[in-house]
Amino acid sequence: MIYQGDSIRVEFVEDGIAELQFAAAGSVNKFDQKTLEEFSQALTELANNKDLRGVIVTSAKPTFIVGADITEFLTLFADVEQTKVWVAKASRVFDQLEDLPVPTVAAVAGFALGGGCEATLACDYRVVDTSAVIGLPEVKLGLIPGFGGTMRLPRIIGPDNALELITTGKNNKPEDALKIGLVDAVVMPEKLRDAALSMVKAAVSGDLDWRAKRQPKLEPLKANDTELTMTFVTAKAMAAAQAGKHYPAPHAAIKAVEDGAKHGREEALNAENAAFVGLTQTDACRAQVGIFMADQLVKGKAKKAGKLATKEIKRAAVLGAGIMGGGIAYQSAYKGVPVVMKDIRQEALDLGMSEASKILGKLVERGRMDHKKMAKVLSSITPTLLDDGVKGVDIVVEAVVENPDVKGKVLAQMESVVDDDTIIVSNTSTISIDRLAKNLKDPSRFCGMHFFNPVHKMPLVEVIRGEKTSDETVAAVVAYATRMGKTAIVVNDCPGFLVNRVLFPYLAGFAGMVDEGVDFAGIDKVMERQFGWPMGPAYLSDVVGIDTADHCTVVMAEGFPSRMPRDTSSAIAKLAAAERFGQKNGKGFYNYGVDKKGRPAKEKAPEVYEMLSIGDKQLDADEIIARCMVPMVNECVRCLEEGIVASAAECDMALLYGLGFPPFRGGPFRYLETVGLDKFIALADKYAHLGEMYQVTDGLRDMAKSGKSYLAG
C-alpha cells in the first residue's frame, strides 16, 4: 500500500503501475476539503516513489466523482480571503497530478462532473465506459471551474468547444465526448479497468507519447491572434444572448480563458482563480448555490417519504380528461405507472388522448423517443366512460372543473367505487382540501395534488395536507409525484395553498398600478428585463387566463378578506367582464395571433388602454419592482409563520419550480435576505398606506432585530 486515507487509497496493481482509487465512505465521491488534502498527500507519495512507472485513477463507486462538496461553499465563500487561499491551494493539487513523472490515465464510469471532470483533465489520457457523463456544470451554481478547468479544457479540445461546454454547463455522453477529443476511448463497463491498464502500459512502453499529450496543457493556447479574437467575440455574443446580464458566471469564464490564453499554466490558473473568487462574492452565486442546497433538502424529504410510504402506486386513474387530465395521464404513463383516464364525455377522452399523443409526437420528432416507446406509453393510458373502469387502481387523481360542488360530487362518487385503501387526491389550484374532504367518508386517504400547467414541463407538484390526511397518504402521494419525475413540496391547507396564495398579492400589486393608469406593458418590461421573471404580470395573467385569475380573486377574498379583497373595478375584473380571457381566446392585456412566418405573436391591445383609462403615468423601475414584490414576499413570510410551508428553502423551491422565480435571485426568501431584512422593512413601510398586503408581520420585524436568517441551518 502506497497511501491509505479515509477517501483515497493508492497501491501497486501491476509491476510499477499504481492505482489511485477514490473510495469515500458515503454513497459518492466528492472533493471536500479533507479529500483534497488526502489527494495532495497521495500524489506526493506517488511522486516520491522510485518504482512508479504509471498511474490509473479510478473510483470504487459506480460513479467517478460528482464534483466539489457544495455544502461547504456558502460558509467558505463568506470570507473572501479564505476563499482566495483555498482555491489557490486546491487548484494546485491538480497540478500535482499533472506533474507526476509518469503517464496517467483516468478510468471513468458514471458521473465525472465539475471537480471530477477537472481531475480527468489533469491526467494524460481519459478512458470512459458507456455509462459515463462528463462535464463542467459550475455555471449553474453561478461559478466557473475552479480546479484548472478553464485552463486545461481549451488546450485539450480547443477554445471554441471548451467555451461552449464551460459557459453552458452542458454534460456530455461518451460518444459526444469522444468526437470532440474530451476522452480518448469509450469501452463497455466490464472492460473499463483493463482498458485503462492497457493504455497506461502503452504509454509506459512508448507506444503512446504521453509527454507530447501533456505538453500543450502547460503552454499558451496554440492559436493565432485572429482565431482567438473571433473565438472570444463569438463566445461573448452567445453568452450575452443566452445568459444575459443577470448571470455573471458565463461572462467570467470567457474572461478567464481569454486572460490565460497567451500564458502558460501558472498564469492561466491565476486568471481562473481570480475570476472564481470574484464570482463567489456575487448575489447570483449565493442564490444559485442556495437553490442547489434547497433542492437537495426537498429531494431528501421526498426520498424519506418514499421509504415511509406503506402503499406503492402501481396503477393510477385520472378523473376528467382534456388538456390537464391528459397531461397528468401522459406524465404517469411516460414514467411507468399505467393510468386509467375517466370522463363522462367521449370528446373529452379524445382530447386527453390527443394531448398525450401530441406531447409524445414532439419527443419522437426531436429524436428523444422512438415510435415503439410512443406506442407503449399510449397503450398504458386506458380511456373509459365507465366508473367501473377505475376499480383496482391505487390512486385516483380528480382533475375536473374548478368548482367545489362538482368536485365534491365526483369525489364522493369515486369513493363508492374504488377499494377501501385507494388514495384519492384532488388537482385543485385554490379550493380548500378540508372543504372537499367533507364529501368523503374517509378523509384520511385524501389530500390535494396540485399540478401546474403544462404538466409535462412544469416540475412542481404541491401536495396539500388536509386536517385529517394521514401521514401514510402524504408519503405515498409524494412518492408517486417523485416517480412521475416531479418535485413534490408538502404544504398545509389554506386558500390558494402556497404558490397561488403568494401569487395573488403579486398580481394585486401589479393591478393596483394599472388601476392608477400605469402602462401594463411597461410594468412587464421592468419585471422581465430588470427583475428577471420569465414573463411580466400582465403577460402571466393572460397565460393563466384572465377568467381564471378573476375567479381565484373570489376564493382568495373569502379566505383573506382584509388583505386580498375583491375589487370588481380592478383591471383583471374589467377584462374578465369584457370576455378578454387572455391567450385562450386570443385577447387579454395583449392581442394574440401569428406573425408572417406563422409563429405565435402578441402585441399590446390598444382597446385595453382605452378600457382601463391607461395614460402616460410613469413609475421608475425600483417602485414597480417594490409594488409587485413586497406583497409577494410578505405573503411568503406569513405562509412560513403560519406553518403552511415547512421551511423558507421549500418556499423558495416552490416558487422557482411553480412560477419561474428568477434563479439568479434564488427564491423569495433568498431575495429578501439579499435585499436585507432591515432595508426590506423600510421599503415595505414606505408603501404600507397602500394596504395590508404591504404591511410586514411582527415576526419579520423580530427577525430583523435579532439579526437572524430565514435560511440558516
Side-chain angles (χ1 to χ4, degrees), residues 6 19 33 41 48 67 84 119 134 139 155 218 227 246 255 301 388 401 414 433 464 488 493 543 612 632 642 675 690:
D6 292 335
E19 179 176 15
Q33 294 190 63
Q41 292 166 7
N48 292 332
K84 286 179 183 178
I134 188 165
V139 291
R155 289 158 174 79
L218 308 177
E227 290 173 332
H246 297 303
K255 187 175 188 305
K301 287 194 170 188
D388 284 353
V401 63
M414 279 303 103
I433 293 304
I464 305 105
D493 188 33
V543 171
L612 301 180
M632 173 179 270
E642 294 170 17
V675 171
L690 294 175

Side-chain angles (χ1 to χ4, degrees), residues 536-560:
Y539 186 24
L540 176 63
S541 298
D542 279 358
V543 171
V544 169
I546 298 291
D547 53 337
T548 301
D550 185 53
H551 166 72
C552 289
T553 62
V554 177
V555 177
M556 303 309 289
E558 288 177 358
F560 310 103

Side-chain angles (χ1 to χ4, degrees), residues 26-331:
S27 58
V28 295
N29 296 314
K30 55 188 174 181
F31 282 120
D32 54 23
Q33 294 190 63
K34 184 177 180 183
T35 299
L36 281 167
E37 288 176 11
E38 287 191 3
F39 194 25
S40 179
Q41 292 166 7
L43 291 168
T44 298
E45 292 295 327
L46 282 169
N48 292 332
N49 193 297
K50 294 186 171 137
D51 296 324
L52 190 68
R53 299 169 63 225
V55 176
I56 62 171
V57 181
T58 69
S59 167
K61 311 286 182 184
T63 200
F64 187 67
I65 303 169
V66 297
D69 186 355
I70 296 166
T71 62
E72 295 181 342
F73 279 10
L74 290 179
T75 302
L76 177 69
F77 297 166
D79 184 331
V80 66
E81 292 304 319
Q82 179 183 351
T83 304
K84 286 179 183 178
V85 171
W86 173 79
V87 74
K89 181 180 178 182
S91 56
R92 268 65 181 183
V93 175
F94 292 74
D95 290 356
Q96 287 183 257
L97 173 58
E98 191 165 60
D99 290 340
L100 286 175
V102 298
T104 54
V105 178
V108 179
F111 292 109
L113 301 177
C117 175
E118 290 176 284
T120 73
L121 298 179
C123 292
D124 300 317
Y125 299 94
R126 289 156 291 285
V127 57
V128 304
D129 73 19
T130 52
S131 73
V133 178
I134 188 165
L136 296 168
E138 285 87 350
V139 291
K140 297 175 183 177
L141 296 173
L143 292 167
I144 62 170
F147 300 148
T150 67
M151 177 267 296
R152 292 188 177 92
L153 189 62
R155 289 158 174 79
I156 292 172
I157 65 173
D160 291 329
N161 286 330
L163 285 169
E164 181 184 352
L165 296 192
I166 294 169
T167 59
T168 63
K170 174 187 172 187
N171 290 340
N172 296 268
K173 293 180 179 178
E175 56 271 23
D176 297 324
L178 186 62
K179 283 178 187 174
I180 61 174
L182 180 55
V183 302
D184 300 290
V186 179
V187 298
M188 296 303 292
E190 64 272 14
K191 296 183 178 179
L192 177 63
R193 193 167 182 279
D194 287 343
L197 283 169
S198 177
M199 191 172 283
V200 79
K201 287 176 184 175
V204 169
S205 68
D207 292 338
L208 292 175
D209 190 347
W210 60 274
R211 291 183 178 85
K213 194 85 158 49
R214 180 183 296 183
Q215 191 60 32
K217 294 187 289 176
L218 308 177
E219 300 174 347
L221 266 170
K222 286 185 168 51
N224 63 46
D225 289 348
T226 302
E227 290 173 332
L228 286 176
T229 298
M230 288 299 296
T231 291
F232 294 124
V233 167
T234 302
K236 288 172 185 176
M238 292 291 289
Q242 295 179 8
K245 64 181 181 180
H246 297 303
Y247 296 90
H251 308 286
I254 296 168
K255 187 175 188 305
V257 175
E258 186 174 19
D259 288 349
K262 295 183 179 181
H263 301 286
R265 184 180 71 183
E266 183 62 20
E267 287 188 65
L269 198 53
N270 286 338
E272 177 184 281
N273 289 170
F276 182 92
V277 172
L279 287 170
T280 66
Q281 304 307 301
T282 63
D283 291 337
C285 173
R286 294 186 187 95
Q288 289 174 268
V289 172
I291 289 171
F292 178 87
M293 302 294 291
D295 190 49
Q296 293 298 107
L297 169 70
V298 171
K299 285 177 179 174
K301 287 194 170 188
K303 190 174 182 180
K304 184 177 179 181
K307 292 179 180 178
L308 293 175
T310 56
K311 182 177 182 63
E312 182 182 358
I313 307 300
K314 298 178 181 177
R315 190 162 177 259
V318 176
L319 306 181
I323 292 177
M324 178 60 83
I328 297 170
Y330 154 80
Q331 191 67 27

Side-chain angles (χ1 to χ4, degrees), residues 11-25:
E11 60 186 335
F12 282 116
V13 289
E14 290 194 19
D15 184 28
I17 307 297
E19 179 176 15
L20 187 157
Q21 187 173 73
F22 287 87

